[in-house]
Amino acid sequence: MNISLFRVATIVSRIFKQIRRDRRTIGLMIIGPILLTFFYLHMRLLAK
Amino acid sequence: MRNDNVVIKTERLRKTFGEIVAVDNVSIEIFRGEIFGLVGPNGAGKTTLIRLLNGLLIPDEGNAFVFGYSAVKLPLKIKKKIGYMTQYKALYPDLTARENIDFFARLNGIKDESQRKRLVEEMLQLLEIEKWADVVAYKLSGGTQQRVSLACAMVHNPDLLFLDEPTVGIDPDLRKKFWDYFRQLVESGKTIIITTHYLEEAKYCDRIGMMYRGRIISLGSLSEILSRVSFGWRLRVTTEKKINQEIIDEIASSFNVKLEAIRDREIILRYDDGSVIDDLILFFNKRNLVVEDVETIPPSLSDMFIHFIKKEFFEGDVS
């Protein structure tokens, strides 16, 4: 199967454009991991 | 398949989804430069047939050829000659109208940026959506989204366009504009296959295939289809003087017709056998009623549709 790099680049650029405008997803991508990290640390402290 | 004018040919095409037969034994030919309408109610199998022709579905039985190639294995060079506007708006809601059109142009292999830009601008102008070019798709009205979808399907200037219910949910004014534009396209040598469940839109097509329960129940131009229907014709007779009750009673008892409307000098009746027209004129003349005008009114498209359904599915009960 031939994969056209141009088509792949087209799709990737489309996905980035969409993410850029989707504030909720951007928020989840940044805040979500931070919250999880704090939660994990908190659980570890409690376990000690 | 070698005939250059035949763009699409299907042979006994059949597709089922479990128990449901979506497309049943469909054999059609569609020619270059025509608007071919697939007309039928929801669930008739129109979209499935289009998806089979596009190579998006694999038939259970039969074959479909597009530009001479099997629809199951369409080469990329042929796929680029096809535009497909789906029934449901296939737009990316977070991209603007312009970005959506540009995306589909790129997907269809238009690599040159200046050429792409020109084509996108042409589409925006043609479909009168320049005003909304930089508005994200989810904020656009239904009609404008429909226009953007059409632009996405056409931006790469395809030779064959599949339009699945493109006029659903848009106002009559815009619908008319769409049809005018489709006509311009076929005049420039494109081929359009369009589905609609608005029976009255069949008049805009060069040929139609009436679909019901997966089958093509009648195929041809509107006048060809009309000529196959002997049922449901109406006759309007206008006379010089008032038609009195005695004459009306006599018509009802002596002729195989159904009186539908009676006005002063005008009578509308439904007949199944065309020979009744001459007999009626003779009848009026004998009663010294000069016939001013006689007009035959063809059955409506919905009448015709019901006629063909009865013929196909309840053979022998055509009434």
Side-chain angles (χ1 to χ4, degrees):
Chain A
M1 197 173 87
N2 284 338
I3 296 175
S4 153
L5 276 179
F6 182 73
R7 282 168 78 95
V8 173
T10 300
I11 293 164
V12 169
S13 93
R14 192 258 298 160
I15 291 169
F16 273 107
K17 268 183 201 160
Q18 282 184 290
I19 291 174
R20 210 179 59 205
R21 292 204 183 116
D22 189 352
R23 286 182 189 166
R24 203 175 296 174
T25 304
I26 294 173
L28 274 173
M29 281 165 71
I30 297 165
I31 296 164
I34 294 171
L35 278 176
L36 277 172
T37 311
F38 274 110
F39 182 67
Y40 175 71
L41 286 173
H42 179 67
M43 294 302 281
R44 281 200 66 169
L45 283 171
L46 278 181
K48 276 182 185 174
Chain B
M1 193 182 80
R2 286 285 173 264
N3 186 346
D4 277 353
N5 274 325
V6 179
V7 174
I8 285 175
K9 184 177 180 168
T10 70
E11 294 165 345
R12 306 179 70 83
L13 210 58
R14 181 180 163 90
K15 178 74 186 171
T16 55
F17 298 104
E19 298 280 289
I20 299 161
V21 182
V23 170
D24 190 10
N25 202 17
V26 170
S27 299
I28 49 170
E29 280 189 341
I30 297 169
F31 304 97
R32 191 180 304 278
E34 72 171 348
I35 301 181
F36 184 85
L38 283 168
V39 187
N42 292 326
K46 308 183 294 291
T47 300
T48 306
L49 181 55
I50 280 201
R51 290 171 71 83
L52 286 166
L53 297 177
N54 252 318
L56 297 173
L57 288 174
I58 296 169
D60 296 337
E61 284 170 36
N63 298 302
F65 299 97
V66 179
F67 291 114
Y69 292 87
S70 168
V72 181
K73 285 184 237 159
L74 284 178
L76 194 61
K77 66 170 184 179
I78 298 297
K79 282 184 182 168
K80 284 181 181 173
K81 289 168 86 174
I82 299 172
Y84 177 30
M85 178 184 172
T86 57
Q87 190 175 356
Y88 303 102
K89 290 151 204 142
L91 297 176
Y92 292 99
D94 294 320
L95 298 188
T96 65
R98 182 181 273 116
E99 285 167 346
N100 265 292
I101 303 168
D102 183 70
F103 172 73
F104 283 98
R106 285 174 68 136
L107 267 194
N108 282 296
I110 301 168
K111 292 183 181 174
D112 182 63
E113 198 170 343
S114 58
Q115 187 199 0
R116 215 169 51 233
K117 220 170 181 178
R118 182 179 54 77
L119 286 170
V120 172
E121 289 310 314
E122 265 178 32
M123 278 295 124
L124 290 169
Q125 270 178 29
L126 196 73
L127 294 162
E128 299 171 23
I129 43 179
E130 305 112 298
K131 253 200 291 186
W132 298 281
D134 297 310
V135 178
V136 282
Y138 75 88
K139 286 186 182 167
L140 298 171
S141 68
T144 312
Q145 285 186 2
Q146 202 85 332
R147 278 190 265 185
V148 178
S149 294
L150 184 59
C152 292
M154 296 191 319
V155 66
H156 60 296
N157 198 20
D159 289 333
L160 171 62
L161 252 178
F162 290 102
L163 305 173
D164 198 358
E165 311 239 353
T167 54
V168 163
I170 59 173
D171 59 80
D173 193 34
L174 182 59
R175 204 182 297 171
K176 179 76 178 54
K177 277 186 185 168
F178 267 28
W179 280 105
D180 289 345
Y181 180 59
F182 299 155
R183 181 52 59 193
Q184 280 175 36
L185 281 177
V186 292
E187 277 167 8
S188 67
K190 313 277 183 213
T191 307
I192 297 180
I193 290 127
I194 194 162
T195 71
T196 180
H197 63 248
Y198 296 127
L199 289 177
E200 70 272 24
E201 287 193 334
K203 65 174 183 258
Y204 298 119
C205 301
D206 296 310
R207 285 192 311 137
I208 55 171
M210 286 184 165
M211 265 193 108
Y212 186 72
R213 289 192 194 166
R215 289 191 214 164
I216 299 272
I217 53 175
S218 194
L219 180 75
S221 68
L222 200 54
S223 56
E224 281 167 359
I225 289 177
L226 202 58
S227 69
R228 288 176 210 143
V229 181
S230 57
F231 159 84
W233 284 76
R234 288 173 180 83
L235 184 73
R236 187 204 309 268
V237 183
T238 313
T239 55
E240 214 176 48
K241 285 186 283 182
K242 190 181 176 210
I243 306 166
N244 62 39
Q245 190 57 45
E246 199 182 314
I247 286 175
I248 290 163
D249 292 342
E250 210 174 331
I251 290 171
S253 60
S254 325
F255 294 93
N256 185 20
V257 292
K258 193 177 163 200
L259 295 167
E260 287 210 335
I262 301 149
R263 292 178 202 107
D264 261 11
R265 298 187 299 115
E266 190 182 87
I267 186 166
I268 297 174
L269 35 89
R270 196 165 160 146
Y271 64 94
D272 290 337
D273 178 9
S275 66
V276 81
I277 300 172
D278 290 340
D279 295 344
L280 264 167
I281 293 169
L282 207 67
F283 168 85
F284 279 116
N285 285 340
K286 274 185 183 167
R287 273 141 195 87
N288 293 325
L289 263 174
V290 178
V291 175
E292 264 187 357
D293 190 31
V294 177
E295 186 192 358
T296 51
I297 306 163
S300 69
L301 275 161
S302 43
D303 282 346
M304 283 199 277
F305 201 83
I306 291 163
H307 169 83
F308 287 118
I309 289 172
K310 283 182 177 172
K311 200 173 173 184
E312 182 79 17
F313 291 92
F314 311 101
E315 193 68 84
D317 186 25
V318 182
S319 56

